[in-house]
Amino acid sequence: MGDKRQLTFDEIKEKFPDALKNGNIYVCYQAQINHVTGRLAGAEALMRWEDPDHGPQYPADFIPFLEQADLIFKADLFVFREVCALQNYCRNRNIPLVPISVNMSRYDIYNNNQYVEEIEKIRREYGIPVDMLRIEITESSAIGGTKLITSVLEHLHQIGYVVEMDDFGAGYSSLNILKDLNVDIIKLDMNFLNGEIGGRGGTIISSMVQMTKWLNTPVIAEGVETLEQADYMSSIGCYYIQGYLYSKPIKRTEFLELAGKYDHEPQYSGKGLLNDIDSGKFWNPDSMETLLFNNFVGPAAIFTYENGKIEFMRVNTKFVKEIGAEAVDKTALNIGLEQMDETGSKIYEQTIKKAIETREEEECETWIDVSSRCCGDDRLCIRSHMRLIGTAGDQYIFYVRIRNITAERLQYIYLEDNEKKFRMAIEQNNAFAWEYDIATKKMRPCSRCRRELGLPEVLENYPEPMIENGFFPAESADMYRRWHKELAEGKDHLEAIIPLTEDRIPFIVRYTAEFDEAGRPYKAYGSATEVKGYNMAWHKSNSSNNDKGK
Ligand code: C2E
Ligand code: CA
Ligand code: CA
């Protein structure tokens, strides 16, 4: 009966549970083909809804409603289950199949951090190998911060999922997303080209493909409708095609039939290498790639490694800035293993070798010597993230992102140095030391106190915790409390012999206060040193005089 029309929000909410049960919601599959080899490489699972009263509903219409109604999580898990069931069906009958991608809505992670756990439950229930399933995320998942999506991504990667970035290329900002989100495959939407290839749209697309090659990420072109488009895409290095040209999204049985007709592409294993990297635009300073390289990625460079030598071939402007060099590429290009000290160059080379072996991004920190006209000679600590992106003969080509962490490192070394001196001085004097914040009554014990007395980093409401735990004996407690009052009132020095610990060992306890610019007391430094051979019994009868202020 009924008229063919789009379901309203309320109808969607109401009909959803039954639609799932009755099979009105189901899954279609769209093939992904390697246009060069003509082999089937994968497929995408797409949700469909056929309403018995009002006819087919379109994902573009109903998915947003499901998201608003908080139903998308259920829907996506349904799709995931269907895909697992299909993989299981094929495996049980020895029918070879390709990996299938499912779409993850950003609401799946916003509203529910159970997404990964839930899909894992389903996957394990069917016993499907993780490399037969892929997850598509969209750039918009990163809206509102990349933290959440990054942690989901990491979790998926840990398990072994290949993660695809859907609808890449909808805006220039996408390139920024790529450096934050470590996705394995990129899906470029051809629709934003509006059918135009060549011209400006083509230039952008070809540059994007080139960029993704630098990042070593395979690309799938989506929405490819014509042979011309497919040929163009593969001519610029994007071989995987998903679109009406090869197949519309089709029902399970039809898809199995289609899958049976094609040879299957060998499984995608990690990021591929490019071997034609030195060709053409890659090295051309006027190319679009260079423009993107300079503007849309952080401090980065391309260097080559050959017979134990590295040579920087390309650095972007941010790279030059990051190492504080003047905007003369030459300076930046002059970083080689020679500019590092012996340990540094060893570490760098080890990292290079590791990156060659693992084909993963590897990380290291090294000190380099740079000299520039403005600042003279300088030593910088650089953190590098490098990844092998290509080989040419004996040459290995690397893409490296860097960060200048000199300030952080120096601060750390300074702190570590001070802490070490402090600790040594204290331990030589056989003392315990602590810092008392007069306003907040917080006490920060030295590392020896923490180690030997089992104290935490900070004690609140000092000195009460140390009295409570019996370290300061009850008979000295009031005197010790009075001290802290006096410190707050401006006393600058306090000293007394106090029996400490359950064993009542005599310690000389001292406080020296520090004042702020207005003359208000704000910190006091305490120490306790054991007094050998001191007679506590004698002390007890004299303790009232021991508290000598200054
Ligand atoms: P998408 O993930 O970008 O999916 C690709 C869309 O492009 C699909 O639309 C597909 O039918 C369409 N398409 C494929 N080839 C061509 C082509 O050659 N030309 C044109 N013009 N279009 C093509 P569909 O199935 O309508 O899905 C629309 C969107 O709805 C999807 O975009 C996806 O964002 C969302 N969606 C679909 N299924 C699911 C799902 O199970 N879960 C979630 N969360 N979202 C889904
Ligand atoms: Ca998708
Ligand atoms: Ca897409």
Side-chain angles (χ1 to χ4, degrees):
M1 329 172 270
D3 51 327
K4 300 273 171 272
R5 64 163 173 85
Q6 190 188 329
L7 296 178
T8 64
F9 178 65
D10 288 334
E11 284 169 332
I12 295 245
K13 261 196 344 200
E14 202 187 299
K15 285 169 173 259
F16 177 77
D18 282 340
L20 266 191
K21 259 186 254 145
N22 303 341
N24 298 333
I25 294 178
Y26 58 95
V27 180
C28 274
Y29 300 86
Q30 189 175 30
Q32 298 168 338
I33 309 283
N34 182 331
H35 186 58
V36 177
T37 62
R39 291 192 287 229
L40 182 69
E44 177 177 4
L46 293 155
M47 208 187 308
R48 293 290 175 262
W49 186 331
E50 184 77 37
D51 185 71
D53 302 321
H54 303 295
Q57 305 297 312
Y58 296 95
D61 302 324
F62 71 78
I63 298 271
F65 280 165
L66 289 182
E67 290 178 337
Q68 275 172 46
D70 245 348
L71 294 169
I72 192 67
F73 186 57
K74 257 202 177 134
D76 280 344
L77 291 181
F78 166 79
V79 172
F80 191 87
R81 179 175 285 279
E82 287 290 298
V83 171
C84 286
L86 176 60
Q87 293 282 13
N88 190 42
Y89 172 91
C90 288
R91 198 186 37 179
N92 291 342
R93 286 162 187 75
N94 276 327
I95 304 170
L97 202 59
V98 285
I100 297 176
S101 309
V102 298
N103 288 280
M104 183 187 92
S105 161
R106 64 186 161 115
Y107 291 85
D108 289 340
I109 49 170
Y110 283 176
N111 299 340
N112 204 319
N113 52 19
Q114 300 293 299
Y115 180 77
V116 183
E117 275 91 53
E118 289 301 318
I119 61 169
E120 273 303 279
K121 256 190 227 156
I122 300 171
R123 185 177 72 82
R124 275 188 252 121
E125 190 184 314
Y126 286 92
I128 306 300
V130 69
D131 56 6
M132 293 306 277
L133 302 158
R134 294 176 180 172
I135 310 292
E136 293 194 4
I137 60 169
T138 55
E139 202 183 319
S140 62
S141 309
I143 291 173
T146 46
K147 246 201 192 127
L148 196 58
I149 180 72
T150 309
S151 75
V152 171
L153 223 150
E154 251 168 41
H155 197 173
L156 288 169
H157 274 162
Q158 268 166 15
I159 301 165
Y161 282 99
V162 163
V163 180
E164 300 172 4
M165 164 72 72
D166 204 354
D167 299 334
F168 179 75
Y172 276 97
S173 65
S174 317
L175 289 168
N176 283 326
I177 284 290
L178 277 194
K179 72 178 160 59
D180 294 333
L181 294 183
N182 181 22
V183 291
D184 308 287
I185 296 181
I186 284 163
K187 297 188 80 175
L188 261 183
D189 198 335
M190 296 296 287
N191 283 320
F192 98 92
L193 279 187
N194 292 325
E196 177 209 19
I197 52 171
R200 190 173 155 71
T203 315
I204 292 175
I205 271 232
S206 107
S207 304
M208 282 190 176
V209 172
Q210 198 63 54
M211 277 293 307
T212 59
K213 294 208 140 196
W214 290 7
L215 299 163
N216 238 359
T217 314
V219 191
I220 299 174
E222 213 179 6
V224 174
E225 294 181 351
T226 66
L227 188 60
E228 195 195 5
Q229 285 177 332
D231 286 343
Y232 174 73
M233 289 313 285
S234 56
S235 80
I236 59 170
C238 169
Y239 311 121
Y240 300 107
I241 303 290
Q242 178 187 338
Y244 296 168
L245 171 67
Y246 280 107
S247 169
K248 292 204 165 178
I250 45 181
K251 289 190 180 170
R252 172 181 154 137
T253 343
E254 272 178 89
F255 172 66
L256 284 177
E257 214 173 286
L258 176 140
K261 287 190 195 136
Y262 276 94
D263 280 341
H264 294 184
E265 191 87 343
Q267 286 268 313
Y268 164 77
S269 58
K271 300 193 169 181
L273 287 185
L274 30 148
N275 291 309
D276 53 352
I277 197 151
D278 53 353
S279 68
K281 295 192 203 114
F282 188 79
W283 306 113
N284 179 356
D286 299 321
S287 70
M288 184 69 138
E289 286 84 339
T290 305
L291 184 90
L292 295 173
F293 182 48
N294 273 337
N295 294 292
F296 294 102
V297 297
I302 310 277
F303 71 84
T304 58
Y305 175 75
E306 190 177 6
N307 302 325
K309 272 188 90 107
I310 65 169
E311 195 175 342
F312 275 78
M313 309 297 285
R314 287 283 296 279
V315 295
N316 67 10
T317 22
K318 286 189 192 132
F319 182 101
V320 178
K321 234 167 117 190
E322 189 75 5
I323 64 167
E326 285 170 276
V328 202
D329 281 14
K330 254 190 114 201
T331 324
L333 284 168
N334 232 337
I335 315 167
L337 293 171
E338 305 78 40
Q339 274 65 40
M340 299 173 199
D341 56 23
E342 208 179 312
T343 358
S345 60
K346 229 181 242 157
I347 290 172
Y348 210 78
E349 207 171 350
Q350 271 165 11
T351 314
I352 289 173
K353 286 182 177 155
K354 197 163 162 216
I356 292 174
E357 201 184 294
T358 63
R359 304 276 143 120
E360 295 284 329
E361 187 173 86
E362 300 294 345
E363 182 187 331
C364 69
E365 272 173 34
T366 45
W367 288 87
I368 57 164
D369 290 317
V370 291
S371 50
S372 64
R373 255 176 288 150
C374 62
C375 321
D377 294 337
D378 213 352
R379 251 170 93 67
L380 302 177
C381 187
I382 303 290
R383 180 177 295 148
S384 312
H385 296 258
M386 57 179 82
R387 169 176 278 162
L388 182 66
I389 58 169
T391 54
D394 287 345
Q395 230 180 28
Y396 293 95
I397 300 155
F398 281 88
Y399 179 86
V400 61
R401 302 185 287 124
I402 61 148
R403 209 155 71 79
N404 181 351
I405 54 164
T406 314
E408 286 163 41
R409 273 292 157 258
L410 288 178
Q411 181 77 5
Y412 184 75
I413 288 169
Y414 173 78
L415 285 177
E416 205 177 36
D417 205 43
N418 270 356
E419 162 88 10
K420 205 154 80 192
K421 279 185 204 146
F422 186 59
R423 220 171 29 227
M424 265 161 42
I426 286 179
E427 287 181 12
Q428 275 167 16
N429 287 318
N430 203 20
F432 293 92
W434 63 98
E435 205 181 285
Y436 173 67
D437 193 286
I438 291 168
T440 61
K441 297 194 174 173
K442 282 187 179 157
M443 183 274 227
R444 288 185 174 74
C446 69
S447 46
R448 183 173 175 211
C449 299
R450 297 205 299 268
R451 198 175 57 236
E452 292 185 14
L453 308 176
L455 298 183
E457 297 263 329
V458 180
L459 275 83
E460 309 280 346
N461 195 27
Y462 194 73
E464 295 311 320
M466 294 306 274
I467 294 169
E468 262 163 47
N469 69 13
F471 188 81
F472 278 96
E475 60 267 28
S476 314
D478 282 335
M479 179 214 94
Y480 198 53
R481 286 190 184 107
R482 200 174 65 237
W483 272 22
H484 290 81
K485 241 187 231 141
E486 287 173 24
L487 285 171
E489 285 158 13
K491 198 103 174 183
D492 67 345
H493 189 87
L494 287 161
E495 187 173 321
I497 291 174
I498 308 178
L500 294 182
T501 75
E502 277 173 15
D503 302 334
R504 302 289 191 267
I505 299 166
F507 273 82
I508 178 152
V509 181
R510 291 195 183 92
Y511 257 124
T512 311
E514 195 172 280
F515 300 86
D516 65 14
E517 287 117 55
R520 282 183 299 256
Y522 88 110
K523 246 184 199 156
Y525 298 94
S527 72
T529 318
E530 193 180 333
V531 190
K532 299 266 191 244
Y534 186 82
N535 185 340
M536 227 44 229
W538 177 84
H539 162 81
K540 248 178 205 154
S541 58
N542 291 283
S543 64
S544 49
N545 309 327
N546 255 327
D547 169 7
K548 57 166 191 180
K550 201 179 157 190

